[in-house]
């Protein structure tokens, strides 16, 4: 990018910074905390890309930088390629397109050459500064270095002068050191994985002879592994080699020769190379072996690994070509392409450029077939070990580090002496092919996911039209074809209400083609153009209708269980409270019978006692009925005559009514029936009437009025007294609470009104209360007449 003058920039962009963006002030005591946060963030990253984005995100967010970019040095060490960048965090923009800066160009390029961090406090006075989209007045640039080798650059700019401080320099320098280590580790792991994969492939498919020998304590050497090529060349079966000693595999002379090489490798503690000849005459085979000793931590040799290859043809051809070597040496040394010379498909010579292109030493090329330097299968799906039908083609080879590269190959045959040879000229086109493959693979992966996903995938416009829909989405919404779904208006035909989308997080209702409802869970994102306008929405829809139904069923079950628990607890209170009321009445009657001397009074009390015991028996039966009702919530309620039920309750309380001279006034139609659970109604009337008696005013004859009417489908029962009353201003919200009492009555337990309210609500009714201190209390109960 060319250097721009400050006066060429638009005034509107001069020195601007995002609104509310604070100038960074980092205290020294927070230095270690920030470094620690960066270190923790880097620990969880495994790839180079993850590491770089972690640094970018943390620099912008934790240091409040305007932007941050990271460049990595390319393989030729000539250019810095931008691999990650992010603008100020409120903009939420990330960039991955690879901007390129030549070494030595601009501030970034100069720092890369110098390998020294730099703060540029005022870019307008710097000759090195190259503006991008607008002029920014300060810049901090930190080299990423490992063992004095430049890996890349961390760079940030800011619209204000003097923004970056020495503390920023210290932090980013420390971060750059950590990043360098992570990048080196990641590259090492990538290379290690590739090498491991390459070794497995080579071991199973290579034509090289590979074997592993275990060194045993008794100076015996036992073969523990041998590959296919080893068994084929030695013409031995696996059970004749594996787990056998050298003396068991070979005759005495050959075994002693081999053992000599073994002992030499152990003694020198270095790999050695030796040759052994098999057969004789024209059937003679020359095998070259590289033997490597393996030592444990105590320095004791535990294994010997060997790689052998048939170099018969190579040796023969090399001898024949020695006389002509000088003729071709100049061609080999000056050619910019890799060149093989092959005889019978065996590499017998190569130029120096070949060593660079293949990343191998000469001994790792000579004597091999080209297919042995290649993966087993070529990108076109055919075997590498095949005869080529053309003289010009593309081929995939393997470098010494296990990585792959693609070459254009041109073959030409020539004769020398009495032999036929082939010259292969190879030009590396890896970068071009890799770029094409990455794009193609990305498209194929996306298409595979799109076509086979069980969830519905779509792409739509802001106006409400589908652009792409997956087969799963077509099926989910009940349409017959992709074309049919693409033709609909999303807002009009798919939504019951567009506002539904914003009510329940990422779940909302959709209308299927047949009009039925479906609940979906939507995960997606918007795609924006360069101006920041929404152009598409990409999303994945998952059908959660069944899931929601199961959730609702579970909630209903929980509610039913909770209701059952409440009913069980309520029943326990009913038993306690009602039996206690009957007991009190019986005790009162017995007391009267003991104190009165008048036979007529005793007879009257006896009749009341008899009536009360009968009512007690009925109450117990009704309580038993409650158990039955709670065991079967679907059992219908019973219609009972309200007047008769009320009179029964009054008979139960006859002793207390007589003792306290209570005036009971009934105004209930004789034919009025109410649908209730008898035990509940008995408990409700018993509790409210007994409370009216219990909380009577001293020196005033107690009076209890009970009347009932029907209106608008409701039965209204009113029970009022002239007793002590309740202060509604204080106790209005407590009246029906458990254990709530409102008078200094030592017998009060605070259960009655709580039980009464729950019983009424269990029968789908409701209760209201009105009271005034020293004027009495009125309870009004409502029941559905049609229930």
């Amino acid at each position: 990018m060319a250097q721009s003058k400050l006066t060429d920039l638009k005034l509107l962009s001069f020195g601007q910074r995002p609104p509310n963006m604070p100038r960074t002030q980092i205290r020294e005591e927070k230095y270690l905390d920030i470094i620690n946060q960066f270190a923790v963030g880097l620990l969880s990253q495994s790839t180079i890309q993850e590491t770089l984005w972690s640094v970018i995100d943390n620099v912008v967010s934790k240091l409040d930088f305007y932007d941050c970019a990271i460049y990595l040095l390319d393989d030729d060490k000539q250019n810095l390629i931008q691999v990650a960048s992010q603008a100020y965090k409120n903009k939420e923009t990330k960039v991955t397109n690879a901007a390129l800066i030549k070494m030595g160009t601009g501030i970034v390029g100069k720092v890369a050459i110098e390998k020294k961090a730099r703060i540029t406090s005022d870019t307008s006075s710097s000759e090195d500064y190259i503006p991008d989209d607008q002029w920014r007045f300060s810049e901090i640039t930190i080299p990423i270095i490992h063992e004095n080798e430049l890996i890349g650059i961390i760079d940030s700019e800011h619209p204000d002068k003097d923004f970056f401080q020495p503390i920023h320099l210290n932090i980013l320098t420390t971060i750059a050191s950590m990043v360098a280590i992570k990048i080196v580790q990641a590259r090492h792991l990538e290379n290690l994985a590739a090498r491991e994969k390459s070794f497995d492939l080579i071991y199973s498919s290579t034509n090289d002879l590979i074997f592993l020998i275990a060194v045993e304590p008794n100076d015996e050497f036992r073969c523990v592994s041998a590959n296919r090529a080893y068994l084929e060349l030695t013409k031995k079966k696996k059970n004749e080699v594996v787990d056998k000693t050298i003396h068991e595999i070979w005759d005495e002379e050959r075994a002693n020769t081999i053992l000599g090489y073994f002992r030499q490798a152990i003694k020198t503690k270095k790999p050695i190379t030796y040759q052994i000849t098999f057969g004789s005459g024209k059937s003679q085979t020359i095998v070259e072996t590289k033997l490597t000793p393996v030592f444990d931590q105590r320095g004791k040799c535990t294994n010997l690994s060997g790689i052998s290859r048939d170099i018969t043809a190579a040796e023969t051809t090399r001898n024949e070509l020695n006389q002509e070597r000088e003729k071709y040496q100049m061609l080999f040394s000056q050619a910019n392409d890799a060149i093989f010379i092959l005889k019978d498909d065996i590499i017998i010579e190569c130029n120096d450029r070949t060593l660079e292109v293949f990343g191998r030493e000469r001994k790792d090329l000579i004597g091999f077939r080209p297919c042995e330097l290649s993966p087993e299968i070529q990108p076109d799906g055919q075997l590498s070990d095949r005869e080529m039908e053309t003289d010009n083609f593309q081929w995939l080879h393997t470098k010494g580090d296990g990585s792959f590269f693609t070459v254009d190959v041109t073959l030409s045959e020539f004769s020398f002496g009495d032999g036929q040879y082939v010259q292969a000229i190879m030009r590396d086109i890896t970068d071009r092919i890799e770029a094409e493959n990455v794009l193609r693979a990305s498209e194929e992966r996306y298409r595979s996911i799109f076509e086979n996903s069980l969830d519905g995938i779509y792409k739509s416009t802001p106006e409400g039209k589908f652009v792409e829909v997956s087969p799963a989405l077509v099926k989910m919404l009940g349409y017959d074809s992709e074309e049919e779904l693409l033709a609909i208006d999303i807002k009009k035909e798919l939504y019951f209400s567009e506002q539904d989308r914003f009510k329940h997080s990422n779940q909302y209702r959709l209308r299927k083609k047949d009009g039925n409802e479906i609940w979906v869970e939507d995960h997606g994102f918007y795609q924006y153009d360069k101006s920041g306008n929404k152009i598409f929405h990409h999303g994945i829809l998952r059908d959660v209708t069944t899931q929601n139904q199961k959730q609702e069923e579970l909630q209903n079950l929980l509610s039913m269980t909770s209701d059952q628990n409440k009913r069980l607890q309520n029943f326990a209170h009913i038993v306690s409270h009602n039996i206690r009321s009957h007991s009190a009445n019986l005790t009162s009657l017995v007391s009267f019978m003991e104190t009165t001397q008048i036979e007529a009074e005793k007879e009257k009390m006896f009749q009341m006692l008899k009536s009360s015991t009968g009512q007690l028996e009925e109450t117990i039966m009704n309580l038993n009925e409650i158990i039955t009702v709670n065991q079967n919530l679907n059992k219908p309620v019973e219609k009972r005559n309200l007047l008769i039920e009320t009179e029964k309750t009054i008979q139960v309380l006859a002793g207390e009514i007589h003792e306290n001279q209570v005036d009971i006034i009934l105004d209930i139609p004789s034919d009025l029936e109410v649908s209730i659970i008898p035990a509940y109604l008995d408990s409700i009337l018993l509790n409210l009437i007994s409370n009216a008696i219990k909380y009577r005013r001293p020196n005033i004859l107690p009076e209890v009025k009970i009347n009932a009417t029907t209106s608008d489908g409701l039965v209204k029962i009113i029970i009022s007294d002239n007793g002590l009353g309740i202060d509604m201003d204080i106790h209005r919200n407590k009246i029906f609470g458990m254990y709530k009492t409102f008078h200094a009555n030592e017998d009060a337990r605070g259960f009655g009104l709580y039980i009464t309210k729950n019983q009424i609500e269990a029968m789908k009714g409701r209760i209201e209360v009105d009271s005034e201190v020293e004027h009495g209390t009125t309870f009004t109960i409502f029941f559905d007449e049609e229930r």
Side-chain angles (χ1 to χ4, degrees):
M1 158 185 326
Q3 178 86 25
S4 298
K5 295 182 179 180
L6 183 61
T7 55
D8 292 337
L9 298 175
K10 295 180 180 179
L11 292 176
L12 288 177
S13 64
F14 185 86
Q16 288 181 339
R17 84 173 176 270
N20 302 320
M21 176 178 174
R23 286 180 175 273
T24 303
Q25 296 292 334
I26 301 177
R27 298 176 182 175
E28 292 288 343
E29 59 267 23
K30 288 190 176 180
Y31 173 84
L32 290 178
D33 182 54
I34 293 175
I35 293 301
N36 182 60
Q37 292 181 47
F38 273 90
V40 170
L42 289 175
L43 281 175
S44 62
Q45 313 307 323
S46 57
T47 67
I48 294 176
Q49 200 64 24
E50 290 174 350
T51 298
L52 300 184
W53 279 122
S54 175
V55 172
I56 288 287
D57 288 339
N58 281 291
V59 166
V60 173
S61 63
K62 291 187 172 55
L63 299 181
D64 281 322
F65 279 11
Y66 182 82
D67 63 17
C68 184
I70 296 181
Y71 301 81
L72 293 183
L73 187 63
D74 67 4
D75 293 338
D76 294 333
K77 299 184 179 181
Q78 298 298 315
N79 300 296
L80 292 160
I81 301 173
Q82 185 188 96
V83 294
S85 69
Q86 181 174 326
Y88 185 62
K89 60 184 178 183
N90 288 339
K91 293 185 179 180
E92 297 183 351
T93 55
K94 292 185 177 182
V95 181
T96 56
N97 51 318
L100 184 144
I101 297 177
K102 291 185 178 181
M103 291 287 284
T105 302
I107 293 176
V108 172
K110 291 291 180 64
V111 169
I113 292 291
E114 298 167 358
K115 298 181 185 177
K116 292 182 179 180
R118 179 192 297 188
I119 291 179
T120 306
S121 299
D122 184 0
T123 59
S124 62
S125 60
S126 172
E127 296 180 355
D128 297 331
Y129 181 69
I130 299 176
D132 191 2
D133 55 333
Q134 66 179 42
W135 197 290
R136 300 183 181 94
F137 284 94
S138 57
E139 184 172 359
I140 186 169
T141 311
I142 310 294
I144 304 172
I145 298 174
H146 183 264
E147 295 183 353
N148 203 35
E149 288 292 323
L150 180 73
I151 295 176
I153 295 291
I154 300 176
D155 183 69
S156 180
E157 298 180 9
H158 197 276
D160 294 343
K161 297 178 180 179
D162 301 314
F163 175 83
F164 299 105
Q165 304 300 320
I167 188 68
H168 294 134
L169 191 69
N170 291 339
I171 291 173
L172 288 185
T173 300
T174 303
I175 293 168
S177 299
M178 292 189 290
V179 171
I181 294 172
K182 288 291 291 187
I183 291 175
V184 170
Q185 289 175 342
R187 287 175 175 173
H188 176 71
L189 290 174
E190 291 173 358
N191 291 338
L192 190 62
R195 289 183 180 183
E196 183 177 354
K197 183 177 181 181
S198 176
F199 174 79
D200 291 339
L201 180 64
I202 291 172
Y203 188 85
S204 61
S205 61
T206 184
N207 287 328
D208 282 350
L209 287 67
I210 302 176
F211 60 89
L212 181 65
I213 303 296
V215 181
E216 299 185 343
N218 56 358
D219 198 33
E220 278 287 1
F221 296 83
R222 189 177 301 276
C223 179
V224 295
S225 178
N227 70 343
R228 171 191 55 80
Y230 184 95
L231 299 176
E232 290 178 354
L233 182 65
T234 59
K235 294 181 173 58
K236 293 181 179 291
K237 297 179 180 179
K238 186 175 182 179
N239 60 3
E240 295 175 336
V241 174
V242 176
D243 204 35
K244 301 293 184 182
T245 65
I246 300 302
H247 284 292
E248 291 174 331
I249 299 173
W250 303 108
D251 58 64
E252 185 70 15
E253 181 179 355
R254 188 174 297 278
N256 289 334
T257 301
I258 293 174
L259 290 176
Y261 291 124
F262 287 4
R263 294 187 177 101
Q264 179 184 347
I266 295 173
K267 182 178 180 179
T268 61
K269 296 184 178 182
K270 294 181 179 179
I272 64 169
T273 301
Y274 61 90
Q275 293 181 1
I276 292 181
T277 301
F278 293 87
S280 59
K282 293 183 178 181
S283 61
Q284 186 180 74
T285 301
I286 303 173
V287 176
E288 184 179 80
T289 300
K290 181 177 181 180
L291 189 70
T292 302
V294 180
F295 296 87
D296 62 18
Q297 295 179 345
R298 296 173 297 177
K300 182 180 179 181
C301 183
T302 58
N303 295 96
L304 295 164
S305 64
I307 300 178
S308 306
R309 64 175 62 94
D310 182 354
I311 61 170
T312 306
E315 285 293 312
T316 302
T317 304
R318 185 180 294 111
N319 292 333
E320 293 175 351
L321 291 177
N322 278 339
Q323 298 176 1
E324 300 295 327
R325 184 174 297 276
E326 292 182 2
K327 180 187 298 183
Y328 294 95
Q329 192 62 42
M330 184 172 293
L331 172 65
F332 274 25
S333 61
Q334 293 181 355
N336 192 42
D337 295 324
I339 302 176
F340 282 157
I341 301 297
L342 304 104
K343 180 174 175 56
D344 299 329
D345 201 30
I346 300 295
I347 301 171
I348 61 172
E349 188 57 284
C350 64
N351 65 346
D352 293 338
R353 177 59 178 162
T354 302
L355 307 182
E356 297 176 14
V357 171
F358 279 76
R360 299 173 183 265
E361 296 180 7
R362 188 177 301 275
K363 62 183 178 58
D364 298 321
L365 296 170
I366 304 303
F368 288 85
R369 300 167 65 202
C371 64
E372 294 172 338
L373 306 176
S374 314
E376 184 178 3
I377 305 295
Q378 285 293 309
D380 60 4
Q382 298 190 57
L383 293 173
S384 294
D385 186 9
R386 71 179 192 266
E387 183 176 350
M388 301 307 299
E389 298 177 356
T390 177
D391 294 333
N392 187 264
F393 51 90
Q394 290 184 1
W395 197 259
L396 188 66
H397 276 302
T398 307
K399 289 193 174 186
D401 62 5
S403 60
F404 298 129
F405 66 104
T406 305
V407 294
D408 264 333
V409 181
T410 300
L411 301 179
S412 58
E413 293 187 22
F414 65 93
S415 300
F416 177 72
D418 58 354
Q420 292 291 319
Y421 300 86
V422 174
Q423 176 180 269
I425 300 177
M426 296 158 287
R427 177 162 296 173
D428 189 348
I429 59 170
T430 305
D431 292 342
R432 188 190 80 195
I433 297 300
E434 185 174 4
E436 294 173 355
N437 289 341
V438 168
L439 180 60
R440 187 181 303 109
S442 178
E443 292 174 348
E444 290 175 354
R445 284 196 298 271
Y446 173 79
R447 182 51 53 184
S448 176
I449 294 172
F450 188 88
E451 295 293 337
N452 299 307
S453 173
L454 296 178
D455 295 327
I457 304 175
Y458 68 89
K459 176 181 178 182
S460 63
T461 66
E463 293 76 24
K465 296 293 291 183
F466 282 122
V467 178
E468 277 187 296
V469 290
S470 69
L473 184 60
V474 175
K475 181 178 179 181
M476 182 189 302
L477 297 176
Y479 285 85
D480 298 327
S481 66
E482 176 182 332
E483 291 73 21
E484 186 180 16
L485 183 55
L486 290 174
I488 73 168
D489 185 319
I490 296 175
K491 296 180 180 180
K492 293 181 180 179
E493 299 178 57
L494 200 56
Y495 298 145
F496 283 94
S497 169
E498 188 177 1
Q499 296 307 312
D500 281 356
R501 294 185 60 203
F502 310 101
K503 289 181 180 178
H504 307 285
S505 184
N506 62 334
Q507 286 193 10
Y508 52 88
R509 299 183 306 156
L510 290 179
R511 181 187 289 111
K512 297 177 68 173
K513 179 185 176 182
D514 60 8
N516 289 329
E517 177 185 278
I518 181 176
W519 278 90
V520 297
E521 187 173 86
D522 191 355
H523 298 276
F525 62 91
Y526 285 106
Q527 179 181 341
Y528 298 87
D529 61 18
K530 293 182 179 179
S531 302
N533 301 314
K534 295 177 183 177
I535 54 176
F536 295 113
H537 185 266
H538 301 261
I540 300 176
L541 293 180
R542 174 166 295 175
D543 186 349
V544 295
T545 307
T546 302
Q547 174 186 322
N548 289 352
Q549 290 172 347
K550 295 296 183 184
Q551 186 68 28
E552 184 176 350
E553 291 174 3
L554 177 60
Q555 189 61 44
N556 291 337
L557 180 59
L558 290 174
S559 298
M560 182 180 298
T561 303
S562 176
D563 185 62
Q564 288 278 31
N565 288 336
K566 289 180 180 178
R567 289 177 180 274
L568 181 60
Q569 190 177 43
N570 194 32
F571 173 73
H573 291 317
I574 292 171
V575 173
S576 174
H577 190 273
N578 288 9
I579 298 300
R580 187 166 169 266
S581 296
H582 285 291
S583 175
N585 188 56
L586 290 172
T587 302
S588 177
L589 290 172
V590 171
S591 177
F592 268 109
M593 291 180 68
E594 290 177 344
T595 57
T596 184
Q597 300 298 322
I598 303 170
E599 289 300 323
E601 287 289 336
K602 286 185 177 182
E603 179 63 25
K604 184 178 180 180
M605 292 300 109
F606 178 78
Q607 292 300 324
M608 290 182 181
L609 180 61
K610 184 178 179 181
S611 175
S612 293
T613 55
Q615 292 297 324
L616 174 59
E617 181 181 4
E618 184 176 355
T619 297
I620 292 173
M621 292 176 63
N622 287 336
L623 291 175
N624 186 60
E625 184 67 17
I626 292 177
I627 297 176
T628 304
V629 171
N630 280 306
Q631 288 176 340
N632 183 6
L633 294 177
N634 295 321
K635 181 177 180 180
V637 295
E638 297 181 20
K639 278 190 175 294
R640 291 291 181 95
N641 184 286
L642 181 59
L643 179 58
I644 294 174
E645 295 298 319
T646 305
E647 289 175 341
K648 287 180 180 179
T649 303
I650 293 173
Q651 286 297 318
V652 172
L653 297 171
E656 290 184 54
I657 293 172
H658 179 78
E659 178 184 1
N660 296 289
Q661 301 179 29
V662 181
D663 187 12
I664 303 294
I665 302 171
L666 296 180
D667 183 14
I668 302 174
S670 60
D671 60 348
L672 178 57
E673 291 186 337
V674 61
S675 298
I676 45 82
I677 299 173
Y680 277 12
L681 180 61
D682 180 28
S683 177
I684 293 164
L685 295 174
L686 192 66
N687 190 47
L688 294 179
I689 296 172
S690 64
N691 276 356
I693 297 172
K694 184 185 301 182
Y695 300 112
R696 63 192 178 279
R697 278 189 288 164
N699 305 318
I700 298 291
L701 288 177
E703 181 182 270
V704 178
K705 295 180 180 179
I706 306 172
N707 62 60
T709 60
T710 58
S711 177
D712 298 327
L714 293 177
V715 175
K716 182 164 68 173
I717 305 170
I718 303 173
I719 303 174
S720 61
D721 63 58
N722 61 348
L724 294 173
I726 302 170
D727 190 335
M728 297 295 285
D729 292 335
I730 297 175
H731 301 299
R732 183 178 300 276
N733 296 326
K734 304 177 183 177
I735 290 177
F736 295 105
M738 186 178 288
Y739 304 118
K740 303 300 181 182
T741 60
F742 314 103
H743 304 286
N745 189 322
E746 63 183 12
D747 292 330
R749 295 179 178 271
F751 285 136
L753 293 179
Y754 171 81
I755 295 172
T756 296
K757 182 175 185 294
N758 279 271
Q759 290 169 334
I760 292 170
E761 290 177 347
M763 295 185 289
K764 308 302 181 185
R766 74 177 192 276
I767 184 170
E768 297 177 355
V769 61
D770 186 29
S771 186
E772 184 177 354
V773 177
E774 299 300 322
H775 286 80
T777 303
T778 298
F779 290 95
T780 305
I781 304 169
F782 300 87
F783 288 119
D784 187 348
E785 188 177 18
E786 298 301 322
R787 183 172 179 267

